Amino acid sequence: MKSGIVGFGILASLIAASVVIPIYAPYDVVRQWSSVEYWLENPRWAAPEWVTIFTGKNEPRTTVFDPSSFRYVIVRDTIVDQNGREVNLTFITATRRFLWTYDNFPSEISLYIKAFFPGNTSTEPGSSPLVSISLRRPDNQTVQLLGRAVPGPEFNRTTTYHLSSSTGAAESVFGNIRKWVTQEGVLPSDVVAEADILPHVALFARNDTAQLNPARSAHLLQGQYELRIEYVGFSLNDTLEPRARLYGTVFGLMGTDERRRDLLTGVLWGAPIAMAFGSAAAIVVVLSQTILGALSGWYRGPVDEAIQRFADLYLIIPVLPILIIIALLYRPSIVAILFVVVAFGIVGSTTKVVRSIVLQIREEQFIEAAQSYGASRIRILFRYILPRVMPYTFALVALNVPIYIFLEASLSFLGLGDPTLPTWGSIIGQAYTGSALTYGFWWWVAFPTLGIVYTAVGFALVGYAFDKVINPRLREE
Amino acid sequence: MESDSVKENAGPSFPEGEYPLVQLDDLRTWFSFGRSLFRPPVSVRAVDGVSLSILQGETIALVGESGSGKTTLGRTILRLVEPTDGRLLYAGMDITHAWQKDLIWLRRRSSIIPQDPYSSVNPTFPVYRILDEPLAVQHIGTRAERSERIDRALENVKLNPPSLFVQKFPHQLSGGQRQRVAVARAMILEPEFIVADEPVSMLDASVRISILRLLRQIQERFRIAFLYITHDLATARHFSDTVGIMYAGKLVEIGPVGSIMGEPLHPYTQALMEAIPDPDPENRLRERPALPGEPPILTGPPPGCRFHPRCPIAKAGLCEVEEPPLRELRPGHWVACHLAS
Amino acid sequence: MAILDIRHLRYYYRTRRGAVKAVDDVSFSIDSGKTLALVGESGCGKTSTATAILRLLPRNVETYEGQVLIDGQDVMAYDADEFRRKVRWRGISMVFQGAMNALSPTARCGLQVAEPLMVHYDVEKEEAIEAARAELKSVGLPDYVAERYPHELSGGMKQRVVIAMALIMKPRLVILDEPTSALDVMTQANIINLLKRLLHETGLAYLFITHDLGLASELANDVAIMYAGRIAEIGPATDVYRSPQHPYTQKLIQSVPLLRSEIAPEFIPGAPPDLTNPPLGCRFHPRCPYAFEPCGWSSSEFASILGEEVPPAGAEKIHISHVAKFGTKDPWTLVASPSGETNVSALASELRDLAARWRASVPFLRAIDDIREGDGRVIVKLHQGRSPELIGRDSHRAACWLLQDGGTTVGE
């Protein structure tokens, strides 16, 4: 019975969690599960924050520099150039000093610069504003990250420099960093390629042979850094909105996945989804099988034959492969999956179990006595026999819930489940395709797995406790 | 409203006086088993040609060993089982092959007391509900009236005070108390005929007498006809008016209890009586007279008189050829034996 | 010399509700060639006595003491292994209740009968089966039974197989626990005849356990009547049946429906006591019509009879008109506190009146020794009851206080 109490405790906690979730992360959050922009502020593949307790290292949290945290020096002037034309100039220097005291490199760096130059309508070449970005390090080296024209003459341009990827506008950044590494650093130029550059490491590491290697050997340079953005615009009312993000390596209670999603949200939301799906499926299936089994055992004859053959057929059907095929073809929503699962569960092993219980009960003498005072067969079935069967079916429901949770998880794992919902199976599936364990992102796999195991154990314990309560009574009677 | 349906369901009514409530005419109940593609089905001839009548208010004990067909006969009379052949009349109505839905009136007027105190009452119902069900099924009375009937039924079976017992569940009661509840349930519709199927054989010896005495009191007070099925000839002696002995699906002897006990005429009855020991310390000095062998298998009984293979006085040329008919050898005392006189 | 001599055997086992005193100071002896019938209602401890003798004890044993002498040798001192080798099935074997249903359905009968030989004596299988066949023949079974499975045999044949199993090791004594309970009358008679024959042919002895007095009389030289874990009466069968001394034995004999007589059976009112909390004094006293002072009506019994709605049979006439609450100070002191407007002296005199008027017909009132007032309450002192020893002449004794000083119970 103690195991039953533990089981009930587990279930109670899951139900409590299901109630709390909407408060911590309302359903809007779930709808955002497949979006990109919503999660942009989170680091990718970040471990849970509490690992710092075990590693002892002060892992960096994500630091955001929004425009208001920069210091601006703005000069606006109109000058006359060598051709005698009036040229409007805006010089903006935006600086941000920060102290890097963490014990590890940031996981990514991104830089967004929004430049507003509505007064510059010229389309002549050379009329685009110029921007130069540099970083001064604690060892007093300054790395020129970028110096170029802001593309396009239109006003309201936004340019993003995502310094950790090597595509697009950031390409030249990589080249610049490489130049700096090979010139100021100790690594020879013929060895270092652009592809070897990891800006979030290189910019923060000491200039030595290990500068490019983030794994263990690059030496972090802690201290005062300054990010400087210098802008020259050719109109008078230019404004600059820089925004920088130094992504940390840890986030939240359960870390993040490759799409920067907070796994705590995902895993917690997995609870009510799993519970709802599992319970709904288990209840409907067990109820259906119980009633059919009871009808089968009570009426015997052709009804019995028909239902039993039906059940045999179903037992042969391989549910999971068929589900996979249906999912592949139709990409169903979770409700549709539920319907299909239930359809495959109308009859099954519970039908046979209930039938044999009913066969036993119908031989009992009070049933015969009931016939002798004129009780109809329906009455006997529903009022005398089914109540005897019900406690058994409670146990079966509890034991079946994990089966359906696993079924849904399997489908989601294969990527065939509802793609918009954060179910445990889908998270594990994405972890698998994202090679989480190869890269050591254990949190991505561990927490959803724990969720499934925890729920399954909870239901199993409750189911077995029910069984223990019922069986002695069945034997005694 | 329910009194109308009660009248409709009452079935045929009779003038006062003694009349046969139940009449059996060469009744047969056979069960089929083992139907398969390879073999024709086998018939178990549980009841194989029984004729008798039960008068209103009469207590008749049906005695036999296991396999004699007595239990099946009891169930057949109540139409819980359909006879295969012959005629079954209740209160003059032929109910041999009637549909169950046409027998609701019979259900009101007759009931059964089963054998096993562990399964004779519904273990998931409290006593109140067990006794209320027959009333509910037959749509009798308002809630208040039913409650009163239940209390009275419990008093009649000496489960006092009723208020204490109505809440209890069967597993909280002793075997004897459970059987009393089964008796109360059988009584609650105020039947005129009760089949008691070995009602005390699974109870302790000391409880048996009190239950049997209760049944006798009820029988006398309410003038109910009883069919008391048992294997125990001694209790049959003390609690019934008429005794019938069954062997291998047939009735071999039937008559008033005094006549049968005082002068058993069928060799099987004689053997049965000799085989039962009364408490007598002289018994250990003697061998107990017993019949060798076993009762016949009901799928293929022996030809002629079923008893002839074990009969000490069987006569060759007669007993294995011809089935003996029931003959009235003493007043009211019928015997199915060629050689009895 | 007696084959089996039990002296002061005690066997209690623990349950959630307390210790069940299943066997509480039981003594008897059985000689070679003789049968002792141990008779009683279900729950009286007769089967527990058998399992205690064979030391087939469950894990929740609380007390197991006394002397069990087999051919004069006290086997209580043996350790488990010795007991198994020397006693169980060799000195004493047993036919259990419902044993015919406990035969293994997957082994042929010959093998099952041979098994004790192979296990205990290390006999080779071939030899053992030969011995088994011989034994099956001696219990009257035809040859083919050795090859059959139990479900292919009738009830009577299965029971004979079980008896053969009990006899194969040639024990000195066989314990038979309701050996014919599930059998038909005719088969029962045949089995009893078999048991009689075996008894006469060999020097076997039986301990025959049953609730059926008629059946017991078929084999018994001596009878021991058991009630609530104790022996109520013991003696030669002729004496016990013809002139039973203990009121319980008398009632038991009267409750048997006789086939050959018109006399109607009488039932015994009440129920056997709960063995976790048996009545103090003589255990039968709550149901005994002759109970008097030493028999032991305790204060808690009084409190429940006088205080509760459900009076025992015969005590319906008792009615306390003054409202009172009854409590127990110790087992033999009843305290009646008047409640409402009752005053103490009125209550006391009503109780005295009750005791005087009804003591002749209502047994429990005879236990009242003294009624006194004090402290605003009525103190009722009861006679202290003691459990009676077996009293009587020679070998016929009964545990009843009425027999003290040469009294008798017949015709009281």
Side-chain angles (χ1 to χ4, degrees):
Chain A
M1 281 318 286
K2 290 194 200 116
S3 56
I5 296 175
V6 171
F8 264 113
I10 292 178
L11 287 191
S13 72
L14 282 169
I15 295 175
S18 304
V19 170
V20 162
I21 304 308
I23 305 170
Y24 170 76
Y27 187 59
D28 295 345
V29 171
V30 180
R31 275 195 274 139
Q32 300 295 340
W33 190 249
S34 23
S35 83
V36 171
E37 308 82 37
Y38 186 85
W39 306 100
L40 263 186
E41 290 210 359
N42 298 346
R44 280 175 109 183
W45 299 303
E49 285 184 26
W50 42 266
V51 298
T52 59
I53 301 173
F54 300 103
T55 59
K57 294 201 331 191
N58 187 2
E59 295 280 346
R61 313 285 194 272
T62 304
T63 326
V64 175
F65 302 146
D66 58 12
S68 57
S69 68
F70 282 78
R71 264 230 318 234
Y72 297 92
V73 176
I74 308 179
V75 176
R76 301 186 198 274
D77 205 0
T78 311
I79 59 167
V80 179
D81 72 356
Q82 58 245 63
N83 297 339
R85 268 192 311 187
E86 279 196 348
V87 179
N88 295 322
L89 291 169
T90 306
F91 293 92
I92 303 179
T93 307
T95 54
R96 180 59 160 94
R97 277 200 204 144
F98 60 94
L99 210 56
W100 191 257
T101 52
Y102 293 115
D103 294 330
N104 204 349
F105 297 93
S107 62
E108 283 172 84
I109 306 176
S110 72
L111 199 47
Y112 304 78
I113 299 181
K114 255 197 186 155
F116 295 89
F117 40 97
N120 185 343
T121 50
S122 144
T123 50
E124 287 170 47
S127 63
S128 298
L130 302 165
V131 74
S132 155
I133 308 171
S134 63
L135 181 74
R136 194 179 70 202
R137 299 155 32 106
D139 59 0
N140 273 321
Q141 293 190 40
T142 302
V143 184
Q144 169 83 341
L145 296 173
L146 191 73
R148 63 183 292 165
V150 173
E154 300 93 26
F155 66 95
N156 241 359
R157 295 314 234 89
T158 306
T159 316
T160 306
Y161 298 107
H162 198 155
L163 292 187
S164 289
S165 70
S166 56
T167 58
E171 271 169 19
S172 44
V173 172
F174 279 77
N176 290 334
I177 298 179
R178 177 180 168 275
K179 241 195 296 182
W180 165 71
V181 161
T182 52
Q183 282 166 5
E184 306 297 328
V186 299
L187 294 162
S189 55
D190 49 354
V191 169
V192 176
E194 267 189 34
D196 299 328
I197 304 286
L198 289 163
H200 56 276
V201 173
L203 293 175
F204 286 80
R206 214 188 309 149
N207 278 345
D208 54 27
T209 49
Q211 189 176 15
L212 299 180
N213 187 338
R216 252 144 242 128
S217 12
H219 294 105
L220 177 68
L221 217 50
Q222 288 173 322
Q224 176 100 279
Y225 286 78
E226 185 183 81
L227 181 66
R228 171 181 280 251
I229 305 167
E230 289 166 331
Y231 172 89
V232 180
F234 298 106
S235 48
L236 280 179
N237 34 24
D238 301 17
T239 50
L240 198 63
E241 270 184 26
R243 189 188 302 266
R245 237 179 250 139
L246 300 173
Y247 285 96
T249 51
V250 294
F251 181 86
L253 271 179
M254 292 189 189
T256 62
D257 66 358
E258 71 175 350
R259 291 166 67 168
R260 308 176 185 272
R261 298 183 287 201
D262 175 14
L263 286 175
L264 178 66
T265 310
V267 169
L268 284 183
W269 263 103
I273 294 174
M275 296 271 285
F277 184 91
S279 310
I283 289 175
V284 174
V285 163
V286 170
L287 214 61
S288 152
Q289 291 192 16
T290 300
I291 293 182
L292 284 175
L295 287 171
S296 190
W298 177 234
Y299 284 100
R300 308 296 312 273
V303 172
D304 188 14
E305 287 286 324
I307 295 180
Q308 289 311 301
R309 297 293 81 79
F310 195 33
D312 288 338
L313 207 68
Y314 261 61
L315 283 175
I316 299 175
I317 296 175
V319 179
L320 187 57
I322 293 188
L323 264 180
I324 291 174
I325 295 174
I326 294 180
L328 269 172
L329 294 175
Y330 296 102
R331 296 276 167 188
S333 69
I334 197 163
V335 177
I337 296 176
L338 184 61
F339 269 102
V340 174
V341 158
V342 165
F344 277 107
I346 298 179
V347 285
S349 55
T350 303
T351 314
K352 292 198 179 273
V353 167
V354 168
R355 174 179 178 270
S356 52
I357 296 177
V358 168
L359 283 179
Q360 239 186 315
I361 298 177
R362 85 202 289 271
E363 298 304 316
E364 303 221 358
Q365 295 178 350
F366 69 88
I367 301 286
E368 192 175 47
Q371 286 172 322
S372 86
Y373 55 73
S376 68
R377 294 172 85 182
I378 302 267
R379 187 189 183 94
I380 296 178
L381 179 64
F382 281 95
R383 283 174 176 247
Y384 300 13
I385 297 184
L386 275 179
R388 289 281 295 273
V389 172
M390 275 315 167
Y392 211 80
T393 58
F394 287 151
L396 281 169
V397 168
L399 288 171
N400 265 290
V401 171
I403 294 178
Y404 290 104
I405 293 180
F406 277 124
L407 201 57
E408 186 278 323
S410 310
L411 275 184
S412 304
F413 176 82
L414 296 171
L416 299 173
D418 195 325
T420 61
L421 286 177
T423 65
W424 291 325
S426 64
I427 296 176
I428 301 176
Q430 285 158 5
Y432 176 71
T433 45
S435 306
L437 290 175
T438 319
Y439 293 121
F441 305 143
W442 55 268
W443 55 90
W444 198 359
V445 177
F447 295 111
T449 309
L450 269 174
I452 296 183
V453 169
Y454 185 69
T455 310
V457 166
F459 276 100
L461 284 177
V462 167
Y464 287 128
F466 259 117
D467 225 24
K468 266 187 249 172
V469 166
I470 296 162
N471 276 327
R473 282 230 324 259
L474 276 178
R475 271 189 237 123
E476 171 193 297
E477 288 161 6
Chain B
M1 181 180 79
E2 68 259 358
S3 47
D4 280 350
S5 62
V6 158
K7 282 213 185 72
E8 265 163 39
N9 285 332
S13 58
F14 276 83
E16 286 295 316
E18 291 212 338
Y19 56 85
L21 191 58
V22 176
Q23 264 176 293
L24 277 62
D25 190 10
D26 200 34
L27 197 69
R28 285 168 210 270
T29 308
W30 294 0
F31 298 110
S32 275
F33 283 113
R35 197 177 317 151
S36 77
L37 291 172
F38 306 106
R39 283 193 325 244
V42 160
S43 278
V44 172
R45 304 184 186 181
V47 176
D48 207 11
V50 172
S51 306
L52 64 85
S53 6
I54 305 177
L55 301 177
Q56 189 198 24
E58 179 184 8
T59 302
I60 167 168
L62 203 56
V63 179
E65 298 185 292
S66 61
S68 59
K70 58 190 193 299
T71 305
T72 310
L73 186 59
R75 277 169 179 67
T76 309
I77 293 178
L78 285 182
R79 275 307 314 275
L80 294 170
V81 163
E82 187 178 344
T84 319
D85 213 355
R87 283 205 320 158
L88 171 63
L89 284 90
Y90 188 96
M93 292 259 295
D94 188 336
I95 58 168
T96 323
H97 296 291
W99 290 80
Q100 289 296 325
K101 65 178 173 61
D102 297 326
L103 289 173
I104 302 194
W105 60 270
L106 178 68
R107 302 286 165 239
R108 175 90 183 272
R109 291 163 66 162
S110 64
S111 59
I112 189 168
I113 301 174
Q115 176 183 27
D116 181 358
Y118 284 93
S119 73
S120 59
V121 290
N122 192 333
T124 58
F125 286 3
V127 168
Y128 183 87
R129 217 166 143 212
I130 294 173
L131 297 179
D132 189 57
E133 274 295 296
L135 299 171
V137 164
Q138 295 280 350
H139 306 295
I140 292 178
T142 62
R143 177 154 291 182
E145 285 169 10
R146 285 192 212 170
S147 183
E148 216 206 288
R149 270 176 97 134
I150 291 173
D151 284 350
R152 263 190 290 132
L154 285 171
E155 281 168 5
N156 283 336
V157 297
K158 309 277 189 301
L159 286 176
N160 284 315
S163 53
L164 185 65
F165 285 97
V166 287
Q167 312 289 0
K168 289 204 184 257
F169 284 86
H171 60 84
Q172 297 172 302
L173 303 174
S174 71
Q177 289 170 325
R178 269 183 275 201
Q179 284 303 75
R180 285 176 195 264
V181 172
V183 174
R185 179 186 59 197
M187 298 281 304
I188 199 141
L189 291 174
E190 291 170 4
E192 61 194 357
F193 177 52
I194 294 183
V195 173
D197 184 7
E198 305 222 44
V200 295
S201 53
M202 292 182 75
L203 297 174
D204 287 339
S206 54
V207 181
R208 275 183 211 172
I209 312 281
S210 57
I211 303 282
L212 285 174
R213 179 157 296 174
L214 174 70
L215 289 177
R216 191 64 166 161
Q217 284 168 358
I218 287 172
Q219 191 267 329
E220 281 167 1
R221 198 166 137 207
F222 297 101
R223 294 277 290 146
I224 301 176
F226 258 88
L227 178 65
Y228 171 52
I229 301 176
T230 181
H231 63 272
D232 186 353
L233 198 52
T235 56
R237 172 184 203 135
H238 294 286
F239 293 100
S240 56
D241 311 312
T242 311
V243 175
I245 317 284
M246 276 190 79
Y247 185 80
K250 294 191 86 73
L251 199 60
V252 298
E253 187 162 4
I254 183 165
V257 60
S259 188
I260 302 258
M261 296 296 173
E263 206 189 354
L265 296 171
H266 194 284
Y268 177 64
T269 316
Q270 293 165 349
L272 206 55
M273 286 185 67
E274 280 171 5
I276 299 176
D278 272 340
D280 179 1
E282 306 279 301
N283 282 333
R284 68 182 159 83
L285 304 171
R286 299 184 286 252
E287 186 172 315
R288 177 132 307 269
L291 286 177
E294 308 268 333
I297 319 165
L298 295 172
T299 51
C305 169
R306 312 234 163 151
F307 187 57
H308 83 258
R310 299 167 85 192
C311 182
I313 58 170
K315 190 156 149 199
L318 175 63
C319 295
E320 79 271 22
V321 175
E322 222 181 287
E323 263 196 51
L326 273 170
R327 294 180 291 146
E328 189 173 7
L329 294 178
R330 303 279 186 276
H333 184 160
W334 298 67
V335 185
C337 179
H338 296 300
L339 306 170
S341 59
Chain C
M1 182 173 34
I3 291 185
L4 180 67
D5 192 352
I6 312 283
R7 293 181 193 168
H8 303 292
L9 185 64
R10 265 178 235 274
Y11 163 44
Y12 306 167
Y13 58 90
R14 246 173 314 192
T15 63
R16 265 184 304 164
R17 285 179 301 129
V20 174
K21 302 189 175 128
V23 180
D24 203 2
D25 196 2
V26 165
S27 310
F28 55 78
S29 70
I30 308 179
D31 290 334
S32 160
K34 299 281 176 69
T35 303
L36 173 74
L38 193 54
V39 181
E41 300 171 283
S42 74
C44 71
K46 48 196 203 299
T47 302
S48 297
T49 307
T51 54
I53 294 173
L54 273 182
R55 230 195 261 190
L56 295 168
L57 306 174
R59 266 182 295 171
N60 53 341
V61 173
E62 180 162 297
T63 308
Y64 179 60
E65 58 195 29
Q67 286 181 300
V68 175
L69 291 106
I70 299 180
D71 282 329
Q73 174 87 349
D74 187 357
V75 302
M76 281 297 260
Y78 287 5
D79 63 44
D81 204 45
E82 238 185 319
F83 192 88
R84 185 183 65 79
R85 272 182 301 114
K86 292 196 194 157
V87 177
R88 213 180 279 136
W89 233 254
R90 292 179 56 164
I92 307 181
S93 70
M94 185 161 167
V95 173
F96 294 88
Q97 193 168 19
M100 51 193 229
N101 293 321
L103 285 172
S104 167
T106 56
R108 294 177 208 270
C109 293
L111 189 60
Q112 294 195 49
V113 174
E115 202 178 338
L117 279 178
M118 299 192 296
V119 168
H120 284 262
Y121 274 138
D122 268 336
V123 176
E124 286 298 311
K125 188 167 161 188
E126 305 299 321
E127 239 187 282
I129 297 210
E130 275 314 302
R133 280 181 200 278
E135 202 65 57
L136 287 170
K137 189 152 170 229
S138 77
V139 298
L141 287 170
D143 265 336
Y144 63 79
V145 171
E147 262 71 57
R148 293 269 197 273
Y149 289 94
H151 65 262
E152 297 175 290
L153 305 177
S154 71
M157 292 168 101
K158 277 192 281 197
Q159 196 64 340
R160 289 173 192 259
V161 170
V162 169
I163 292 174
M165 261 173 87
L167 293 175
I168 188 115
M169 303 264 286
K170 307 283 180 234
R172 314 270 285 125
L173 179 114
V174 181
I175 303 180
L176 302 153
D177 190 355
E178 306 274 15
T180 60
S181 61
L183 301 173
D184 281 334
V185 163
M186 213 61 88
T187 318
Q188 173 178 286
N190 279 309
I191 297 285
I192 293 293
N193 285 337
L194 168 67
L195 290 171
K196 282 184 189 170
R197 180 168 59 80
L198 288 170
L199 193 62
H200 290 139
E201 283 173 4
T202 67
L204 214 47
Y206 291 146
L207 175 60
F208 184 38
I209 300 177
T210 179
H211 67 275
D212 185 337
L213 276 168
L215 208 54
S217 72
E218 288 271 42
L219 286 171
N221 300 92
D222 299 293
V223 175
I225 309 281
M226 228 174 139
Y227 185 81
R230 303 191 146 192
I231 296 205
E233 183 160 356
I234 184 166
T238 328
D239 292 341
V240 175
Y241 276 94
R242 296 261 160 80
S243 52
Q245 295 297 302
H246 197 287
Y248 176 61
T249 316
Q250 294 167 355
K251 289 203 158 301
L252 204 57
I253 291 177
Q254 282 165 2
S255 73
V256 178
L258 298 170
L259 184 62
R260 296 167 182 80
S261 158
E262 292 259 319
I263 304 172
E266 299 283 331
F267 72 92
I268 313 174
D274 177 6
L275 288 176
T276 57
N277 200 8
L280 295 171
C282 169
R283 294 190 178 175
F284 185 62
H285 79 254
R287 300 164 84 185
C288 183
Y290 313 124
F292 63 120
E293 290 81 356
C295 299
W297 287 93
S298 68
S299 56
S300 50
E301 281 169 322
F302 262 83
S304 91
I305 293 173
L306 294 174
E308 240 150 73
E309 320 165 358
V310 190
E316 291 103 352
K317 320 181 248 286
I318 306 298
H319 174 64
I320 315 278
S321 57
H322 287 105
V323 182
K325 243 174 57 132
F326 292 96
T328 68
K329 194 161 131 212
D330 61 55
W332 312 109
T333 312
L334 182 72
V335 175
S337 322
S339 48
E341 296 171 9
T342 312
N343 82 51
V344 184
S345 348
L347 184 61
S349 62
E350 180 179 9
L351 286 172
R352 276 190 205 108
D353 193 43
L354 211 66
R357 192 151 38 112
W358 294 107
R359 62 181 288 127
S361 53
V362 181
F364 77 95
L365 289 173
R366 300 174 199 154
I368 297 179
D369 187 19
D370 190 28
I371 300 181
R372 206 174 295 163
E373 298 168 43
D375 255 354
R377 300 178 301 174
V378 181
I379 317 265
V380 182
K381 276 226 122 267
L382 305 170
H383 284 284
Q384 205 165 33
R386 289 172 342 267
S387 185
E389 297 292 323
L390 285 165
I391 308 167
R393 290 179 278 278
D394 309 320
S395 49
H396 182 192
R397 285 166 295 146
C400 182
W401 290 125
L402 288 165
L403 299 173
Q404 219 173 18
D405 308 321
T408 59
T409 55
V410 180
E412 158 114 35

